[in-house]
Amino acid sequence: MKLYLLSCKNIQTHAERILPLLPEQRRLAYDRSRSGLTLGAGLLLSSLLGVHTDADLSMGAYGKPFLTCGTPEFSLSHSGEHVLLGVSDRPIGVDMERRDRQVPEAVRCRICLPGERELDPLQVFTRKECAMKLTGQGFSLPLGDIDTTRDYRWQEKDHRFFTVEKEGYLISVLSAEKALPEIQLLTPEELL
């Protein structure tokens, strides 16, 4: 498993160099949004996973993107001015949120199981997002089926939750790996 955290703070200054590297759908999404996060996610996928055409990516039944060639597995998340990419030879789910984000009490009551109510609500939130991404089921996966205080069982295997703070973000990962690797910080310049 590898984890990459890309700063998109000034990424739009490189848009002319990045856009030709991206699949058409990603370029169109950037044209609509002008979002540096859209550009950053595309740059990570292009530079690290070789995604250059729309045919390089496929979508699962619930919209989870995957490499058409099948491997490696990946998961993306973005928040603030950063994009996180998790890559593994096994299913993986990643999520990140700015550390200062507040989880409203109504959301906390809706997502937390009884054993999770004393935990950091942002940790519970990001871990549940990881499970939704790992399985590819998104919000069709009942949140009550995800207990973030213990291993998550999926496809007959135990998957572990990991949560760390990095660069002002709370980052959670769900993987069958036994340990969390160092998160590699990247800049657009390093990928171009």
Side-chain angles (χ1 to χ4, degrees):
M1 169 175 45
K2 293 186 178 180
L3 300 170
Y4 305 95
L5 185 61
L6 176 66
S7 171
C8 297
K9 186 173 185 178
N10 298 312
I11 197 167
Q12 291 179 336
T13 62
H14 302 288
E16 286 185 22
R17 291 175 57 202
I18 296 170
L19 287 169
L21 305 173
L22 307 184
E24 181 180 1
Q25 290 300 317
R26 181 66 62 170
R27 288 193 308 268
L28 292 172
Y30 176 72
D31 286 344
R32 285 189 304 272
S33 70
R34 291 294 177 199
S35 167
L37 298 175
T38 298
L39 207 56
L43 181 60
L44 283 169
L45 292 172
S46 171
S47 298
L48 300 176
L49 297 179
V51 175
H52 301 291
T53 70
D54 291 338
D56 294 332
L57 284 179
S58 296
M59 295 290 180
Y62 297 96
K64 178 184 179 178
F66 62 91
L67 295 176
T68 303
C69 65
T71 58
E73 301 257 353
F74 73 92
S75 181
L76 279 168
S77 184
H78 56 78
S79 181
E81 295 179 334
H82 286 77
V83 177
L84 177 68
L85 173 67
V87 180
S88 179
D89 59 352
R90 305 175 192 193
I92 185 172
V94 302
D95 193 55
M96 66 183 284
E97 293 292 341
R98 285 185 20 203
R99 189 63 186 119
D100 61 359
R101 178 176 180 201
Q102 299 297 310
V103 177
E105 187 61 29
V107 172
R108 184 179 182 164
C109 290
R110 196 174 80 238
I111 68 169
C112 289
L113 297 172
E116 297 170 325
R117 291 206 173 104
E118 300 303 316
L119 301 176
D120 176 348
L122 195 57
Q123 176 178 312
V124 173
F125 181 83
T126 58
R127 286 181 169 198
K128 289 190 187 251
E129 285 274 342
C130 287
M132 292 186 285
K133 291 177 179 185
L134 178 126
T135 65
Q137 293 177 276
F139 284 102
S140 69
L141 182 65
L143 296 179
D145 290 354
I146 309 165
D147 183 347
T148 65
T149 65
R150 57 186 166 158
D151 289 348
Y152 183 72
R153 188 98 175 137
W154 187 66
Q155 291 188 338
E156 306 301 316
K157 291 187 172 101
D158 283 334
H159 294 76
R160 289 164 194 78
F161 287 107
F162 302 95
T163 302
V164 295
E165 288 191 38
K166 187 88 168 176
E167 301 292 306
Y169 294 89
L170 190 70
I171 296 172
S172 290
V173 178
L174 180 58
S175 169
E177 302 288 336
K178 295 189 184 327
L180 187 68
E182 183 67 27
I183 299 170
Q184 186 176 348
L185 299 175
L186 298 172
T187 64
E189 295 82 5
E190 292 173 291
L191 297 175
L192 291 170

